[in-house]
Amino acid sequence: MMTLLDVLAAHPDPMPLKNIAQQSDLHPSTAHRILGAMSAAGFVERGEGGTYRLGIRLLELGNIVKSRISLRDVAMPFMLKLHAETGESVNLGMRDGDAMVYVERTSSGRSSVRVVHIVGARAPLHTTASGKLFLVEDGRDRVRDYAQRTGLPGSTPASITEIDKLERELAEIRRHDVAFDLDEVELGVRCIAAGIRDDSGELVAGLSLSTPSERFRRDWAPLVHATAQEISRALGYTESPPKRP
């Protein structure tokens, strides 16, 4: 499939199947079968006379990647500032289905505690501070669908594994606009998170401050919230009157 994409990308005009097969060193029937599957998924478009060209789905995926790279670039100076002010690790997480994926991190270097929030790491939405922000955004019905779909598995004894308790927690987050993870992903690690919104007002990421439990300070919540708001404004978000974290 990647070979076929490379061949199509090298030609600005639609290509006939015969030429595609020749340049990809694939048998025409094999190329035709793969192109059919790619066409169904939107990765290629079939034109008149059995020609093929790259599909709109690639543009959609490219825009997603572009927006994520842009977000990381915009967020990093603010993350470094928060890191300097607190001396603790700062994480940038984005939602991927039912999980949070950490796409950037500054390390405190102050603790031997192994923190799960490393670049590329994944964790369930309901156990992470940033993930809870996205569940708040989903609303009650979709949260219940999430709970039924995932079963709310626990990562530690402190993880929330009951829907009633999760809904109470989400109600608190909705009121205060910040979320907490208290040893719920990893014992000995606690987090504070606030949401980052783009110019359309969509929640696109969570900014979190992670610390060993013995250094955890709830009074850092306003600072985390303010930093997330700064990043949002840098992305073009026009905020409504702020809530008090």
Side-chain angles (χ1 to χ4, degrees):
M1 185 179 76
M2 294 306 303
T3 300
L4 293 174
L5 288 175
D6 287 338
V7 169
L8 291 172
H11 296 270
D13 298 322
M15 296 181 64
L17 175 62
K18 179 180 178 180
N19 292 0
I20 296 173
Q22 288 176 343
Q23 295 189 27
S24 62
D25 293 326
L26 294 173
H27 191 278
S29 63
T30 301
H32 182 267
R33 174 174 53 81
I34 298 174
L35 286 167
M38 293 169 67
S39 178
F43 291 110
V44 300
E45 294 178 2
R46 184 172 182 179
E48 297 181 358
T51 59
Y52 295 87
R53 65 180 180 180
L54 296 179
I56 195 70
R57 180 59 178 155
L58 293 172
L59 177 62
E60 295 172 352
L61 294 176
N63 284 333
I64 291 172
V65 173
K66 180 180 177 181
S67 67
R68 291 183 176 181
I69 293 174
S70 175
L71 172 59
R72 292 168 68 177
D73 292 342
V74 170
M76 182 51 72
F78 299 99
M79 294 173 64
L80 291 173
K81 179 183 175 185
L82 180 60
H83 169 71
E85 290 174 326
T86 62
E88 302 295 350
S89 298
V90 181
N91 317 289
L92 184 67
M94 303 183 76
R95 182 176 187 170
D96 182 22
D98 291 337
M100 287 301 296
V101 179
Y102 293 91
V103 298
E104 195 56 87
R105 179 175 186 250
T106 69
S107 178
S108 73
R110 295 178 56 194
S111 175
S112 61
V113 176
R114 183 185 65 83
V115 180
V116 74
H117 305 100
I118 58 176
V119 173
R122 302 170 64 91
L125 295 175
H126 66 285
T127 63
T128 67
S130 290
K132 292 172 188 176
L133 297 168
F134 282 90
L135 289 176
V136 168
E137 201 80 355
D138 280 350
R140 185 173 184 271
D141 290 343
R142 291 176 65 187
V143 168
R144 292 199 162 224
D145 289 342
Y146 167 84
Q148 184 175 18
R149 182 170 63 250
T150 64
L152 299 181
S155 301
T156 75
S159 300
I160 296 175
T161 57
E162 300 173 3
I163 184 61
D164 291 344
K165 186 174 180 180
L166 177 60
E167 288 180 331
R168 289 195 296 271
E169 173 115 347
L170 297 181
E172 284 292 310
I173 296 168
R174 187 175 295 108
R175 280 193 290 270
H176 300 293
D177 216 22
V178 292
F180 297 92
D181 152 21
L182 305 179
D183 301 272
E184 296 166 53
V185 176
E186 184 178 356
L187 289 176
V189 178
R190 297 187 173 189
C191 295
I192 307 168
I196 296 172
R197 297 183 182 274
D198 64 11
D199 58 348
S200 70
E202 181 182 355
L203 181 66
V204 293
L207 178 78
S208 62
L209 184 75
S210 58
T211 77
S213 297
E214 66 270 16
R215 293 205 302 265
F216 176 74
R217 291 172 48 183
R218 278 186 177 266
D219 60 1
W220 272 331
L223 185 57
V224 175
H225 184 270
T227 303
Q229 291 293 88
E230 287 183 304
I231 298 172
S232 298
R233 285 193 292 270
L235 292 172
Y237 174 62
T238 303
E239 60 195 284
S240 54
K243 299 177 183 178
R244 183 182 298 276

